[in-house]
Amino acid sequence: MKLLLIHSDYIEYEVKTKAIKTPEDTTKKHDRFEEALTVFTAVEKIDEKGPSQVVKQAVEEITKTADQLKVRNIMLYPYAHLSSDLASPKKAQEILVEIEYELSQKNYNVKRSPFGWYKAFKISCKGHPLSELSREIIPGKIEEENESLKKERKLSSYWYILTQDGTLQDIDKFNFKDYNNLKKFSFYEKEKSRAVKGEPAHVTLMKKLEIADYEPASDAGNMRFYPKGRFIKKLLEQYVTRRVVDYGGLEVETPIMYDMDHPTLSKYLHRFPARQYQIESDKRNFFLRFAACFGQFLMAHDATISYKDLPLKIYEMTRYSFRREQSGELVGLRRLRAFTMPDVHALVSDMNMAMDEFKVRFDLSLSVLQNIGIDNSDIEMALRTTKDFYKENKNFIVDLVKKLGKPILVEMWDKRIFYFILKFEFNFVDMSDKASALSTDQIDIENGERYDIKFTDKNGTQKYPLILHCSPSGAIERVMYALLEKEAKKMSKGEKPMIPLWLSPTQVRFIPVGDEFVKDCKKYVDELNDVSKYLYVRADIDDREESVSKKIREAEQEWIPIILVMGEKEKEKKKFNPRFRIKELGDENKEYSIKELHNLITEKTKCYPQEPIPMQLYLSKKPKFKG
RNA sequence: GCCGAUGUAGCUUAGCCCGGUUGAGCGGCUGAUUUGUAAUCAGCAGGUCGAGGGUUCAACUCCCUCCAUCGGCUCCA
């Protein structure tokens, strides 16, 4: 709804001719109001979604202004020309009558000029700074509708556990004995003594390891990343992007903000009006994207696509996507208001192609997570679909469960409520028994048409494609959260935590026993990187004037995977007795030459992105970002 | 957003119940030590006690409001 409020000496009108087919009945052809706040109003299309909300917000705005101006007289004046996207006359009139009623209940003297007529009017504006105000009202939460949607979903939603052999069991009947995490995920149940655990494990770790931190100068849920955190995030981004490009994704870049009034977007947008950041720029309003869908769909809308081009895969690593989650929901790297999200859509011709592609992307997601360092035992799968789809495609679905190799949670609806017909998620269950989705893929059967995306089929006819939405890893920050929580679990069992070798900012630390060995360390660091110009071994040197044991202690606390002490012995033999953080890395009782260490490391990291060390070579020149 | 808890130096924290010039460890700086596989020693600097208001002769301490963080709830296309 658009409002134009004018503090007037008087407002006067005269009814002339009909402006619409069935205008409001009126006997009064002429009226005048002295010392009134004249409120020109235009009810818009989107107001129809939440009429009661709009009335409430409009009344608030009007009374606020009236009280400020100390005015008791209010003239409501329908004025269609304030907007180009008007509500139906019937609805508009209802809303205006409702506003009139509410205002009169609050003891204002209210007049309303008749709806649907051309009128001549005269107005005298007082002209002081507050005398002319315009307001835009967008219905807030569409509460009633959300409620009913929720209820409907609850009523028609059924929960099962599906095992590899294809048995579908009611969730209450399933024996969870060997499936503790699935149980936690399925019931999201509370364990006995959870009182006052302090902040989540990964939050403590992300600060301690100088990965990421809260930024008080920004909005909550917008993080700062220190050099080490940025580095880990960069490598994850690169790795996921590489895998999607190998799969055939065409990487694009699209804007982070979009016009709220764009006809296609606004429909989609107003289903979830309370969730975006909004930006006002000149006279236009923009929202920050909450997914990569818009940009890619708008691009696909303008593209010329043949059936031969399908499946067509479009990809973007969104830095960032924005969602204004409720403040209480935000936690560390798990749930943010600004996050980095890989999003690959696939346009397909029909359901058969959709299902084939779904399988491919299922494998891709599983493999991406595994290679990152999150394997099958760390995740629980959920699958959501309708009863009919399940019945018709049972074998297809059971095949997915076989691939995962353990039972999954299934949610089924009587009829389709959302835009997708089939969706899978891989969920991570953390130290506090919270579950969060990582990878996901959906078969969307609505948005091809909604965005008017077309392809030409064999016969030359134009068709709407189905669209798959996939994030093969989930949000990158959330992947970091999962990796940290996974290590926290290890720590609680008394095991040493470690960032996967390919992600460790420092892989090797040299500790010279005295000043005179610093230059030898430098020589070896260079040697480690001279073997190949395409493979990096990230090494640094602790040249500070501290005791050897203190330097080792600190390297251990920094989770450095390989620690090498450099002294007379090593200089002579050209061999090291490394401290390996975990036994999978190497044998502590063996001596290693630089060449052997190089091979050991690159063997484990060569299929991952290669980047040099993101920090100073010498620890004496490294600042502390935290603590 | 709702309910509860917390906020003291860059970090971790003592003091607050019962009002009377904030105390320490780590880190930083300076000096000594030149170190062989998880903390070398000494000195120095560093605090509008989250912000604003109130009560009081006097507030880190008691009261109110706000902000931030944590936990729970709700929520998570």
Side-chain angles (χ1 to χ4, degrees):
Chain A
M1 168 178 287
K2 297 248 166 49
L3 297 177
L4 178 62
L5 302 111
I6 295 188
H7 190 195
S8 43
D9 298 315
Y10 69 89
I11 165 81
E12 183 178 44
Y13 68 83
E14 191 179 340
V15 174
K16 297 285 193 187
T17 58
K18 286 182 183 181
I20 57 175
K21 268 186 209 147
T22 48
E24 186 177 7
D25 287 341
T26 178
T27 45
K28 206 179 255 176
K29 295 288 177 204
H30 171 266
D31 203 359
R32 182 187 166 98
F33 216 176
E34 307 286 338
E35 289 301 320
L37 177 67
T38 305
V39 183
F40 292 103
T41 59
V43 182
E44 299 178 287
K45 260 261 127 46
I46 69 162
D47 298 334
E48 295 184 5
K49 304 233 172 188
S52 55
Q53 199 74 25
V54 169
V55 169
K56 203 177 135 213
Q57 286 171 251
V59 168
E60 259 168 43
E61 277 300 337
I62 295 168
T63 52
K64 205 173 86 191
T65 310
D67 293 350
Q68 228 170 1
L69 299 169
K70 302 198 169 58
V71 178
R72 300 309 297 175
N73 297 346
I74 294 172
M75 170 68 88
L76 278 175
Y77 199 110
Y79 200 68
H81 318 287
L82 290 172
S83 169
S84 53
D85 190 22
L86 290 168
S88 74
K90 190 163 159 273
K91 275 274 178 227
Q93 207 179 316
E94 281 170 19
I95 288 174
L96 288 175
V97 169
E98 198 60 32
I99 293 175
E100 180 187 14
Y101 173 77
E102 290 292 330
L103 287 171
S104 59
Q105 285 296 301
K106 291 182 190 277
N107 285 324
Y108 291 93
N109 312 313
V110 191
K111 288 188 178 185
R112 185 169 59 81
S113 72
F115 190 92
W117 297 89
Y118 288 112
K119 301 175 281 286
F121 73 86
K122 273 190 196 162
I123 184 166
S124 165
C125 175
K126 287 190 179 286
H128 59 80
L130 280 176
S131 66
E132 295 168 277
L133 297 169
S134 75
R135 289 281 181 266
E136 182 174 10
I137 289 168
I138 296 165
K141 262 203 178 123
I142 312 164
E143 280 166 30
E144 301 99 290
E145 290 190 12
N146 271 353
E147 275 310 309
S148 65
L149 191 76
K150 225 189 288 165
K151 253 183 231 154
E152 187 188 347
R153 182 180 163 178
K154 273 208 177 105
L155 279 179
S156 64
S157 174
Y158 305 90
W159 299 88
Y160 305 96
I161 300 292
L162 177 62
T163 51
Q164 297 102 293
D165 58 8
T167 338
L168 187 71
Q169 289 185 63
D170 204 284
I171 191 166
D172 302 318
K173 308 233 170 75
F174 184 76
N175 180 2
F176 282 102
K177 193 163 76 67
D178 298 322
Y179 305 103
N180 200 19
N181 268 351
L182 181 62
K183 182 179 176 186
K184 284 176 187 167
F185 168 52
S186 300
F187 290 95
Y188 212 90
E189 70 155 26
K190 288 175 209 142
E191 298 269 284
K192 335 96 215 176
S193 68
R194 264 218 287 164
V196 199
K197 261 194 183 169
E199 57 183 10
H202 82 278
V203 175
T204 318
L205 292 176
M206 79 185 188
K207 292 179 183 170
K208 205 193 89 179
L209 295 172
E210 293 190 325
I211 288 174
D213 212 337
Y214 297 114
E215 175 51 76
S218 180
D219 189 19
N222 289 254
M223 309 298 277
R224 59 160 73 142
F225 288 85
Y226 299 115
K228 285 205 260 174
R230 175 59 207 140
F231 180 80
I232 292 170
K233 186 158 173 271
K234 176 167 76 174
L235 256 59
L236 286 167
E237 289 168 8
Q238 283 180 7
Y239 180 69
V240 175
T241 297
R242 180 60 201 274
R243 291 297 307 272
V244 176
V245 168
D246 286 349
Y247 150 72
L250 308 176
E251 189 176 6
V252 298
E253 184 170 326
T254 61
I256 63 164
M257 65 176 88
Y258 294 90
D259 193 331
M260 298 197 62
D261 294 328
H262 187 282
T264 321
L265 299 182
S266 62
K267 271 188 265 169
Y268 196 46
L269 186 65
H270 289 130
R271 282 180 68 188
F272 304 97
R275 277 301 173 85
Q276 306 91 35
Y277 280 106
Q278 292 185 16
I279 293 183
E280 207 185 304
S281 176
D282 282 336
K283 295 211 172 73
R284 297 169 74 190
N285 286 314
F286 298 92
F287 68 93
L288 297 182
R289 66 174 172 198
F290 43 91
C293 303
F294 319 103
Q296 296 184 17
F297 290 175
L298 293 167
M299 204 180 262
H301 167 85
D302 293 337
T304 309
I305 304 168
S306 151
Y307 73 97
K308 294 176 195 161
D309 307 330
L310 304 181
L312 176 62
K313 305 140 191 171
I314 306 178
Y315 167 75
E316 181 169 5
M317 176 68 76
T318 65
R319 205 158 88 214
Y320 290 101
S321 288
F322 298 88
R323 299 185 188 182
R324 258 193 30 159
E325 309 291 8
Q326 294 181 77
S327 56
E329 298 168 8
L330 302 167
V331 221
L333 293 170
R334 182 164 88 94
R335 203 156 161 82
L336 299 165
R337 282 186 174 165
F339 56 95
T340 306
M341 182 88 156
D343 213 342
V344 55
H345 292 91
L347 309 188
V348 296
S349 55
D350 53 29
M351 193 46 85
N352 275 338
M353 192 188 265
M355 285 164 65
D356 284 345
E357 205 54 29
F358 196 83
K359 260 191 260 177
V360 174
R361 292 146 71 96
F362 182 89
D363 292 343
L364 174 70
S365 301
L366 208 52
S367 152
V368 164
L369 282 190
Q370 229 159 54
N371 288 348
I372 282 175
I374 297 166
D375 37 49
N376 279 29
S377 59
D378 299 318
I379 53 178
E380 299 301 334
M381 174 172 157
L383 188 123
R384 301 170 209 270
T385 187
T386 62
K387 286 199 152 172
D388 289 342
F389 189 91
Y390 180 83
K391 245 180 255 163
E392 285 157 31
N393 302 286
K394 181 158 183 201
N395 288 339
F396 171 82
I397 291 171
V398 173
D399 278 349
L400 298 178
V401 183
K402 280 183 184 152
K403 274 186 188 175
L404 184 77
K406 59 181 184 178
I408 67 161
L409 176 71
V410 178
E411 181 182 12
M412 279 190 228
W413 303 293
D414 285 326
K415 57 175 198 284
R416 188 168 60 82
I417 302 165
F418 299 111
Y419 58 76
F420 56 85
I421 184 111
L422 179 69
K423 174 184 185 181
F424 89 80
E425 293 153 24
F426 293 143
N427 287 273
F428 179 84
V429 179
D430 71 13
M431 286 273 287
S432 333
D433 298 345
K434 299 258 189 194
S436 348
L438 293 169
S439 320
T440 176
D441 197 10
Q442 309 163 3
I443 302 179
D444 169 355
I445 58 183
E446 276 182 9
N447 282 307
E449 186 171 347
R450 175 174 289 137
Y451 279 82
D452 196 32
I453 300 167
K454 293 193 191 106
F455 71 95
T456 315
D457 78 358
K458 251 184 195 143
N459 312 318
T461 46
Q462 299 270 295
K463 283 188 174 163
Y464 296 120
L466 303 180
I467 302 175
L468 281 76
H469 302 236
C470 173
S471 185
S473 65
I476 299 298
E477 292 84 353
R478 191 171 276 186
V479 170
M480 297 171 75
Y481 138 84
L483 286 171
L484 289 174
E485 286 283 337
K486 189 181 169 182
E487 296 313 303
K489 275 188 198 170
K490 276 197 203 162
M491 288 165 81
S492 71
K493 282 189 247 160
E495 294 167 38
K496 277 190 185 177
M498 190 178 121
I499 303 275
L501 189 64
W502 72 278
L503 279 175
S504 290
T506 298
Q507 294 164 324
V508 181
R509 166 142 318 152
F510 285 90
I511 298 180
V513 299
D515 275 351
E516 67 272 29
F517 297 106
V518 171
K519 60 179 188 306
D520 297 291
C521 293
K522 171 74 168 87
K523 200 184 83 193
Y524 286 129
V525 170
D526 292 341
E527 212 169 288
L528 275 172
N529 283 291
D530 279 345
V531 184
S532 160
K533 59 177 170 173
Y534 304 107
L535 297 175
Y536 287 101
V537 172
R538 295 186 291 268
D540 58 17
I541 303 166
D542 193 346
D543 61 329
R544 296 171 306 159
E545 289 191 21
E546 300 287 352
S547 70
V548 171
S549 39
K550 180 164 183 179
K551 291 182 196 173
I552 287 171
R553 178 182 152 84
E554 291 187 1
E556 294 279 3
Q557 285 177 330
E558 231 187 292
W559 299 9
I560 306 288
I562 300 171
I563 301 168
L564 302 176
V565 175
M566 173 75 214
E568 198 55 54
K569 200 180 84 194
E570 287 75 13
K571 192 169 181 173
E572 240 168 62
K573 292 171 86 174
K574 297 192 188 326
K575 292 220 170 188
F576 294 87
N577 288 317
R579 276 177 86 104
F580 293 112
R581 189 152 184 84
I582 52 172
K583 62 177 183 301
E584 289 78 9
L585 282 177
D587 183 354
E588 295 228 340
N589 301 315
K590 242 182 83 181
E591 290 189 321
Y592 287 83
S593 68
I594 284 293
K595 182 85 182 32
E596 286 166 331
L597 283 166
H598 174 271
N599 293 342
L600 193 82
I601 293 164
T602 54
E603 188 55 40
K604 290 187 165 65
T605 58
K606 66 184 177 197
C607 0
Y608 293 101
Q610 297 291 321
E611 287 286 332
I613 192 162
M615 296 156 307
Q616 288 87 339
L617 173 64
Y618 296 105
L619 261 68
S620 64
K621 299 192 188 310
K622 210 167 88 175
K624 281 203 160 51
F625 286 97
K626 190 83 184 168

Short mmCIF file of all heavy atoms in Angstrom, two decimals, chain A residues 253-286:
data_model
loop_
_atom_site.label_atom_id
_atom_site.label_comp_id
_atom_site.label_asym_id
_atom_site.label_seq_id
_atom_site.Cartn_x
_atom_site.Cartn_y
_atom_site.Cartn_z
N GLU A 253 28.21 -15.61 -12.69
CA GLU A 253 28.15 -14.71 -11.54
C GLU A 253 26.93 -13.82 -11.74
O GLU A 253 26.70 -13.30 -12.83
CB GLU A 253 29.42 -13.86 -11.46
CG GLU A 253 29.44 -12.99 -10.23
CD GLU A 253 30.80 -12.33 -10.00
OE1 GLU A 253 31.83 -12.95 -10.33
OE2 GLU A 253 30.82 -11.20 -9.51
N THR A 254 26.14 -13.67 -10.68
CA THR A 254 24.91 -12.88 -10.79
C THR A 254 24.85 -11.87 -9.65
O THR A 254 25.55 -12.03 -8.65
CB THR A 254 23.67 -13.79 -10.73
OG1 THR A 254 23.65 -14.47 -9.47
CG2 THR A 254 23.69 -14.83 -11.85
N PRO A 255 24.02 -10.83 -9.80
CA PRO A 255 24.00 -9.77 -8.78
C PRO A 255 23.55 -10.27 -7.41
O PRO A 255 22.83 -11.27 -7.32
CB PRO A 255 22.95 -8.80 -9.32
CG PRO A 255 22.84 -9.09 -10.76
CD PRO A 255 23.13 -10.54 -10.93
N ILE A 256 23.98 -9.58 -6.37
CA ILE A 256 23.53 -9.98 -5.04
C ILE A 256 22.25 -9.25 -4.66
O ILE A 256 21.62 -9.60 -3.69
CB ILE A 256 24.60 -9.75 -3.95
CG1 ILE A 256 24.93 -8.28 -3.79
CG2 ILE A 256 25.85 -10.55 -4.23
CD1 ILE A 256 25.65 -8.02 -2.48
N MET A 257 21.85 -8.22 -5.43
CA MET A 257 20.58 -7.57 -5.06
C MET A 257 19.66 -7.43 -6.26
O MET A 257 20.11 -7.32 -7.40
CB MET A 257 20.82 -6.22 -4.40
CG MET A 257 21.45 -5.18 -5.27
SD MET A 257 21.56 -3.61 -4.40
CE MET A 257 23.14 -3.78 -3.58
N TYR A 258 18.38 -7.48 -5.97
CA TYR A 258 17.36 -7.47 -7.03
C TYR A 258 16.23 -6.52 -6.67
O TYR A 258 15.93 -6.31 -5.49
CB TYR A 258 16.81 -8.88 -7.23
CG TYR A 258 17.84 -9.83 -7.78
CD1 TYR A 258 18.65 -10.57 -6.91
CD2 TYR A 258 18.04 -9.96 -9.14
CE1 TYR A 258 19.62 -11.41 -7.40
CE2 TYR A 258 19.01 -10.81 -9.65
CZ TYR A 258 19.80 -11.54 -8.77
OH TYR A 258 20.76 -12.37 -9.27
N ASP A 259 15.60 -6.02 -7.70
CA ASP A 259 14.48 -5.09 -7.56
C ASP A 259 13.27 -5.80 -6.95
O ASP A 259 12.83 -6.83 -7.46
CB ASP A 259 14.11 -4.55 -8.95
CG ASP A 259 13.19 -3.36 -8.86
OD1 ASP A 259 12.43 -3.28 -7.88
OD2 ASP A 259 13.24 -2.52 -9.77
N MET A 260 12.75 -5.26 -5.87
CA MET A 260 11.61 -5.91 -5.22
C MET A 260 10.38 -5.86 -6.09
O MET A 260 9.44 -6.65 -5.90
CB MET A 260 11.30 -5.23 -3.89
CG MET A 260 12.44 -5.34 -2.92
SD MET A 260 11.98 -5.00 -1.23
CE MET A 260 10.80 -6.27 -0.91
N ASP A 261 10.33 -4.91 -7.01
CA ASP A 261 9.12 -4.77 -7.82
C ASP A 261 9.20 -5.52 -9.13
O ASP A 261 8.27 -5.47 -9.93
CB ASP A 261 8.86 -3.28 -8.10
CG ASP A 261 8.51 -2.55 -6.82
OD1 ASP A 261 7.91 -3.19 -5.95
OD2 ASP A 261 8.87 -1.38 -6.68
N HIS A 262 10.29 -6.21 -9.38
CA HIS A 262 10.37 -7.00 -10.60
C HIS A 262 9.24 -8.02 -10.59
O HIS A 262 9.08 -8.77 -9.63
CB HIS A 262 11.73 -7.70 -10.68
CG HIS A 262 11.96 -8.39 -11.98
ND1 HIS A 262 11.40 -9.60 -12.27
CD2 HIS A 262 12.66 -8.03 -13.08
CE1 HIS A 262 11.76 -9.97 -13.49
NE2 HIS A 262 12.53 -9.02 -14.00
N PRO A 263 8.44 -8.06 -11.67
CA PRO A 263 7.21 -8.84 -11.63
C PRO A 263 7.42 -10.33 -11.30
O PRO A 263 6.68 -10.89 -10.48
CB PRO A 263 6.62 -8.68 -13.04
CG PRO A 263 7.66 -7.99 -13.85
CD PRO A 263 8.60 -7.32 -12.93
N THR A 264 8.42 -10.95 -11.88
CA THR A 264 8.62 -12.38 -11.63
C THR A 264 9.10 -12.62 -10.21
O THR A 264 8.65 -13.52 -9.52
CB THR A 264 9.68 -12.96 -12.58
OG1 THR A 264 9.50 -12.37 -13.86
CG2 THR A 264 9.55 -14.45 -12.67
N LEU A 265 10.04 -11.77 -9.77
CA LEU A 265 10.63 -11.98 -8.46
C LEU A 265 9.64 -11.70 -7.34
O LEU A 265 9.59 -12.41 -6.36
CB LEU A 265 11.85 -11.07 -8.29
CG LEU A 265 12.99 -11.29 -9.27
CD1 LEU A 265 14.13 -10.34 -8.93
CD2 LEU A 265 13.47 -12.72 -9.23
N SER A 266 8.84 -10.64 -7.53
CA SER A 266 8.01 -10.22 -6.40
C SER A 266 7.03 -11.32 -6.01
O SER A 266 6.73 -11.48 -4.84
CB SER A 266 7.28 -8.91 -6.73
OG SER A 266 6.43 -9.09 -7.81
N LYS A 267 6.58 -12.08 -6.98
CA LYS A 267 5.67 -13.19 -6.65
C LYS A 267 6.35 -14.18 -5.71
O LYS A 267 5.82 -14.58 -4.69
CB LYS A 267 5.26 -13.93 -7.94
CG LYS A 267 4.03 -13.38 -8.60
CD LYS A 267 3.59 -14.29 -9.76
CE LYS A 267 4.17 -13.79 -11.07
NZ LYS A 267 4.02 -14.74 -12.17
N TYR A 268 7.56 -14.56 -6.13
CA TYR A 268 8.34 -15.53 -5.37
C TYR A 268 8.67 -14.97 -3.99
O TYR A 268 8.57 -15.63 -2.97
CB TYR A 268 9.62 -15.79 -6.17
CG TYR A 268 10.39 -17.02 -5.79
CD1 TYR A 268 9.77 -18.24 -5.61
CD2 TYR A 268 11.77 -16.95 -5.65
CE1 TYR A 268 10.50 -19.36 -5.30
CE2 TYR A 268 12.51 -18.07 -5.34
CZ TYR A 268 11.87 -19.28 -5.16
OH TYR A 268 12.60 -20.38 -4.85
N LEU A 269 9.04 -13.70 -4.01
CA LEU A 269 9.52 -13.02 -2.81
C LEU A 269 8.46 -12.91 -1.73
O LEU A 269 8.72 -13.12 -0.56
CB LEU A 269 9.98 -11.63 -3.24
CG LEU A 269 10.66 -10.75 -2.24
CD1 LEU A 269 11.96 -11.38 -1.84
CD2 LEU A 269 10.89 -9.39 -2.85
N HIS A 270 7.26 -12.58 -2.15
CA HIS A 270 6.25 -12.26 -1.15
C HIS A 270 5.67 -13.49 -0.46
O HIS A 270 4.86 -13.39 0.43
CB HIS A 270 5.16 -11.39 -1.76
CG HIS A 270 5.65 -10.00 -2.05
ND1 HIS A 270 5.47 -9.39 -3.27
CD2 HIS A 270 6.36 -9.15 -1.29
CE1 HIS A 270 6.06 -8.20 -3.23
NE2 HIS A 270 6.60 -8.04 -2.05
N ARG A 271 6.13 -14.64 -0.89
CA ARG A 271 5.76 -15.82 -0.12
C ARG A 271 6.50 -15.84 1.21
O ARG A 271 6.07 -16.44 2.16
CB ARG A 271 6.12 -17.09 -0.90
CG ARG A 271 5.15 -17.42 -2.00
CD ARG A 271 5.55 -18.68 -2.73
NE ARG A 271 5.42 -19.85 -1.87
CZ ARG A 271 5.86 -21.05 -2.22
NH1 ARG A 271 6.47 -21.21 -3.38
NH2 ARG A 271 5.70 -22.08 -1.43
N PHE A 272 7.65 -15.19 1.25
CA PHE A 272 8.45 -15.19 2.49
C PHE A 272 8.92 -13.77 2.79
O PHE A 272 10.11 -13.49 2.76
CB PHE A 272 9.66 -16.11 2.33
CG PHE A 272 9.27 -17.49 1.96
CD1 PHE A 272 9.31 -17.88 0.63
CD2 PHE A 272 8.85 -18.39 2.91
CE1 PHE A 272 8.95 -19.16 0.27
CE2 PHE A 272 8.48 -19.67 2.55
CZ PHE A 272 8.52 -20.06 1.23
N PRO A 273 7.99 -12.87 3.06
CA PRO A 273 8.35 -11.45 3.08
C PRO A 273 9.24 -11.04 4.23
O PRO A 273 9.95 -10.06 4.13
CB PRO A 273 7.00 -10.76 3.19
CG PRO A 273 6.07 -11.79 3.70
CD PRO A 273 6.62 -13.13 3.40
N ALA A 274 9.28 -11.79 5.32
CA ALA A 274 10.00 -11.29 6.50
C ALA A 274 11.47 -11.69 6.50
O ALA A 274 12.18 -11.45 7.44
CB ALA A 274 9.34 -11.79 7.76
N ARG A 275 11.95 -12.29 5.43
CA ARG A 275 13.24 -12.93 5.53
C ARG A 275 14.42 -12.20 4.87
O ARG A 275 15.52 -12.69 4.94
CB ARG A 275 13.14 -14.33 4.91
CG ARG A 275 12.59 -15.32 5.90
CD ARG A 275 13.47 -15.38 7.11
NE ARG A 275 12.92 -16.20 8.16
CZ ARG A 275 13.06 -17.50 8.25
NH1 ARG A 275 13.70 -18.14 7.30
NH2 ARG A 275 12.54 -18.16 9.23
N GLN A 276 14.21 -11.10 4.20
CA GLN A 276 15.34 -10.53 3.46
C GLN A 276 15.87 -9.24 4.09
O GLN A 276 15.18 -8.56 4.80
CB GLN A 276 14.94 -10.19 2.01
CG GLN A 276 14.34 -11.30 1.24
CD GLN A 276 12.84 -11.30 1.38
OE1 GLN A 276 12.25 -10.25 1.47
NE2 GLN A 276 12.25 -12.48 1.43
N TYR A 277 17.11 -8.98 3.74
CA TYR A 277 17.63 -7.64 3.95
C TYR A 277 17.07 -6.78 2.84
O TYR A 277 17.02 -7.21 1.69
CB TYR A 277 19.15 -7.63 3.81
CG TYR A 277 19.92 -8.11 5.00
CD1 TYR A 277 20.53 -9.35 5.00
CD2 TYR A 277 20.08 -7.29 6.11
CE1 TYR A 277 21.28 -9.78 6.08
CE2 TYR A 277 20.83 -7.72 7.20
CZ TYR A 277 21.43 -8.96 7.17
OH TYR A 277 22.18 -9.37 8.24
N GLN A 278 16.66 -5.58 3.18
CA GLN A 278 16.17 -4.69 2.13
C GLN A 278 17.05 -3.46 2.07
O GLN A 278 17.55 -2.99 3.07
CB GLN A 278 14.73 -4.29 2.42
CG GLN A 278 13.82 -5.48 2.29
CD GLN A 278 12.36 -5.10 2.45
OE1 GLN A 278 12.02 -3.93 2.39
NE2 GLN A 278 11.53 -6.10 2.67
N ILE A 279 17.21 -2.95 0.84
CA ILE A 279 18.06 -1.81 0.63
C ILE A 279 17.29 -0.77 -0.15
O ILE A 279 16.64 -1.09 -1.14
CB ILE A 279 19.30 -2.20 -0.20
CG1 ILE A 279 20.18 -3.13 0.61
CG2 ILE A 279 20.09 -0.97 -0.61
CD1 ILE A 279 21.44 -3.51 -0.12
N GLU A 280 17.37 0.46 0.31
CA GLU A 280 16.70 1.52 -0.41
C GLU A 280 17.76 2.30 -1.16
O GLU A 280 18.77 2.70 -0.59
CB GLU A 280 16.00 2.41 0.60
CG GLU A 280 14.80 3.11 0.04
CD GLU A 280 14.22 4.07 1.06
OE1 GLU A 280 13.91 3.61 2.17
OE2 GLU A 280 14.15 5.26 0.75
N SER A 281 17.53 2.50 -2.45
CA SER A 281 18.50 3.25 -3.23
C SER A 281 17.72 4.15 -4.16
O SER A 281 16.95 3.68 -4.97
CB SER A 281 19.37 2.28 -4.03
OG SER A 281 20.25 3.00 -4.84
N ASP A 282 17.93 5.45 -4.04
CA ASP A 282 17.06 6.40 -4.73
C ASP A 282 15.62 6.04 -4.45
O ASP A 282 15.24 5.88 -3.33
CB ASP A 282 17.36 6.42 -6.23
CG ASP A 282 18.61 7.23 -6.52
OD1 ASP A 282 18.94 8.09 -5.69
OD2 ASP A 282 19.26 6.98 -7.54
N LYS A 283 14.86 5.81 -5.52
CA LYS A 283 13.45 5.54 -5.27
C LYS A 283 13.13 4.06 -5.34
O LYS A 283 11.99 3.66 -5.18
CB LYS A 283 12.60 6.31 -6.30
CG LYS A 283 12.74 7.81 -6.13
CD LYS A 283 11.47 8.53 -6.52
CE LYS A 283 11.56 10.00 -6.17
NZ LYS A 283 12.47 10.75 -7.09
N ARG A 284 14.15 3.24 -5.63
CA ARG A 284 13.85 1.82 -5.79
C ARG A 284 14.24 1.03 -4.55
O ARG A 284 15.12 1.41 -3.80
CB ARG A 284 14.61 1.28 -7.00
CG ARG A 284 14.17 1.93 -8.29
CD ARG A 284 15.07 1.60 -9.44
NE ARG A 284 14.89 0.25 -9.93
CZ ARG A 284 15.71 -0.32 -10.81
NH1 ARG A 284 16.74 0.34 -11.28
NH2 ARG A 284 15.49 -1.55 -11.22
N ASN A 285 13.52 -0.07 -4.37
CA ASN A 285 13.83 -0.94 -3.25
C ASN A 285 14.40 -2.25 -3.76
O ASN A 285 13.88 -2.85 -4.69
CB ASN A 285 12.56 -1.24 -2.45
CG ASN A 285 12.16 -0.05 -1.62
OD1 ASN A 285 12.99 0.56 -0.96
ND2 ASN A 285 10.89 0.30 -1.68
N PHE A 286 15.46 -2.66 -3.11
CA PHE A 286 16.11 -3.91 -3.51
C PHE A 286 16.13 -4.87 -2.33
O PHE A 286 16.09 -4.45 -1.17
CB PHE A 286 17.54 -3.64 -3.97
CG PHE A 286 17.60 -2.74 -5.17
CD1 PHE A 286 17.72 -1.37 -5.02
CD2 PHE A 286 17.51 -3.27 -6.44
CE1 PHE A 286 17.76 -0.54 -6.12
CE2 PHE A 286 17.56 -2.45 -7.54
CZ PHE A 286 17.68 -1.08 -7.39
#
